[in-house]
Amino acid sequence: MSSIPPSSSLDPAIAARLKRSADGLLPAIAQQYDTGEVLMLGWMDDEALHRTLTTGRCTYWSRSRQEYWVKGDTSGHVQHVKSVALDCDADTVLVKVDQVGAACHTGDRTCFDADVLLEDAESDVLSTGQ
């Protein structure tokens, strides 16, 4: 169980809609606004979402460090927020951003570059008939 601060400045109407995990968090998917490229997954509580909505910079909750972090404050790889949306179940946030530099802590452009499990399966099936 995390020790996330209970208070937040998030609009109560938004907070009432959210379906959080047992530890009070929502997965937040960061996507490049103009290309659709999926960059990373982070975690937000109500306060991180409030800060993201009001500052124009992505703020996440670090589960390992038990603290807030603003993407790019130490790396320079800033995420400028273009839009924020909830999914149909209100249990995931999609943040469309303009990513400066690498999104992944490994230095890759996205967190999904290095370990591709399946690629273009449909065209492989069409070309082999299987």
Side-chain angles (χ1 to χ4, degrees):
M1 185 69 107
S2 67
S3 58
I4 297 174
S7 65
S8 170
S9 300
L10 184 63
D11 180 329
I14 296 172
R17 296 176 56 203
L18 301 179
K19 295 179 186 166
R20 302 161 197 80
S21 65
D23 55 2
L25 300 174
L26 293 166
I29 301 165
Q31 180 181 36
Q32 179 64 34
Y33 82 100
D34 54 353
T35 66
E37 179 180 30
V38 177
L39 300 169
M40 60 172 279
L41 172 78
W43 295 92
M44 292 184 181
D45 68 352
D46 288 18
E47 182 60 21
L49 179 56
H50 167 73
R51 293 178 188 187
T52 298
L53 291 170
T54 58
T55 66
R57 298 267 312 277
C58 281
T59 300
Y60 299 100
W61 176 256
S62 171
R63 297 177 299 167
S64 60
R65 294 188 312 260
Q66 296 289 292
E67 65 185 18
Y68 295 105
W69 58 279
V70 179
K71 182 68 175 166
D73 271 2
T74 57
S75 67
H77 299 160
V78 177
Q79 292 176 340
H80 298 286
V81 176
K82 297 293 187 175
S83 69
V84 179
L86 288 173
D87 76 336
C88 58
D89 295 321
D91 64 0
T92 304
V93 178
L94 176 63
V95 186
K96 292 188 179 183
V97 302
D98 189 9
Q99 176 71 47
V100 176
C104 188
H105 71 281
T106 65
D108 285 340
R109 169 73 181 162
T110 87
C111 293
F112 301 99
D113 281 347
D115 199 6
V116 177
L117 302 178
L118 180 66
E119 190 167 7
D120 203 10
E122 185 176 312
S123 70
D124 287 347
V125 169
L126 292 174
S127 66
T128 63
Q130 298 180 18

